[in-house]
Amino acid sequence: MSVLAHGIGAQHDLPLSPFYAFAGAFAALFVSFLALGLLWSSSRFRGDRAGRPLPAGVQRVADAPATRIAARALGLGAALLVVLHLLLGPADPERNPAPGAVYVLLWVGLVPASLLFGPVWRLLNPLRTLHLLGCRVLGRDPAAGRRLPPRLGTWPAAAGLLAFTWLELVAPDPASPTALLVFLALSSAAQLTGAVLYGASWFGHADAFEVYSGLLARLAPLGRRPADRRLVLRSPFNGLDATPQLPGLVATVCVMLGSTAYDGFSDAPSWITTVQTSALGRTTTATLGLLGAVALVATLYALCAGATRLLSGLLPHPLTAFAHSLVPIALGYLVAHYFTLFVTEGPRTVMVALGSDDPAPPEPPLGPGGIATLQVVAIVLGHVLGVVAAHDRSVRLFPPGRAVAGQLPLLILMVAYTIGGLALLIA
């Protein structure tokens, strides 16, 4: 069951030429940067104001009470099944579907679900449903509570994501029913306590999976206009442009990037040897490695933001102004790293849940060459989308003479992230 704890397993022998991978990535980034500088002189994205309304019938079905009740029942029912399997199911993770449900169907499955349908975890979130039911029983308004501190932002969600990735990548036995039960109990208690104090709005800031799904959903073709709550079809760039610049946004995205990078690096022979021979012990060394990967991603971005401010003039919030451009990069890493895990272990988890006794996972739909190509394309495309998002934001914020110069630190950052991402795949 170690595959559930370490993504797709070893990746360092993919049949792809490092020269062509790096050359293609650099060419894509530089051509994109030059083309944008020459042809894109004014901001084209309109954020939450953009989008073509969907037909009224689709809107009615999406907003119908029956639809929302069904989604909440599905999320709560699935959560209860996972807990029951953890409590009553076999201790062997190969025969218990609960670890796969958490690490594959939830953690990885939220990526395609959020890209296709928007922030789906908001409707499926069993903790939000439990809070709603409790408020109904007590005759209390679910939105009632203290005002959220302005500086809270998504910091609790960033901490929750870090805790979950620690469990997945560092904990001695991440697929253990006991470990999962303890994590779920502690995180559920923290979330429900926050909701009691601050109301249902707490989940949108503090629930790790809800914030994770919401960030990925910024790239979905479906969205809502806040002004009239209409469902619209939109360019993913407009959804990305509307990402709220909240405190903790940078930390949340850096945890997504850094933890995925550590997952890729953790199966390198040199790191395995380091962890096994470290005087600090395996868990402490691996914890420091995970924290170091997140810190490195964050430090590079902070340096980039500072350099952008120096080159382009005064920028009130340089860290959050361009944080949205990291979301497609994180998505590219997630697709590159977890595609094979999802299409193999996902069906296997479902088969185990339906009663099959240790079934073999299906063969990946792509061969080694196809998987390698998909991974490189996902990483490079994620960075190109990040360059486009950053460029549009820069021509909106900076004077015309400084817009292109102000992006040079961002381009250097994208190149550094690309080198790191590709190196984890093919080095």
Side-chain angles (χ1 to χ4, degrees), residues 70-76 79 110 113 119-129:
R72 289 170 182 151
L74 176 62
L76 185 59
L110 271 180
V120 292
W121 193 246
R122 181 181 175 85
L123 281 178
L124 296 172
N125 189 349
L127 298 179
R128 187 182 280 270
T129 301

Side-chain angles (χ1 to χ4, degrees), residues 127 131 140 142-149 152 156 186-207:
L127 298 179
H131 175 254
R140 177 182 176 181
R146 303 175 187 175
R147 182 173 176 267
L148 287 169
L152 181 73
L186 292 176
S187 60
S188 297
Q191 291 302 314
L192 291 174
T193 300
V196 169
L197 294 175
Y198 296 103
S201 60
W202 168 263
F203 294 108
H205 291 260
D207 186 279

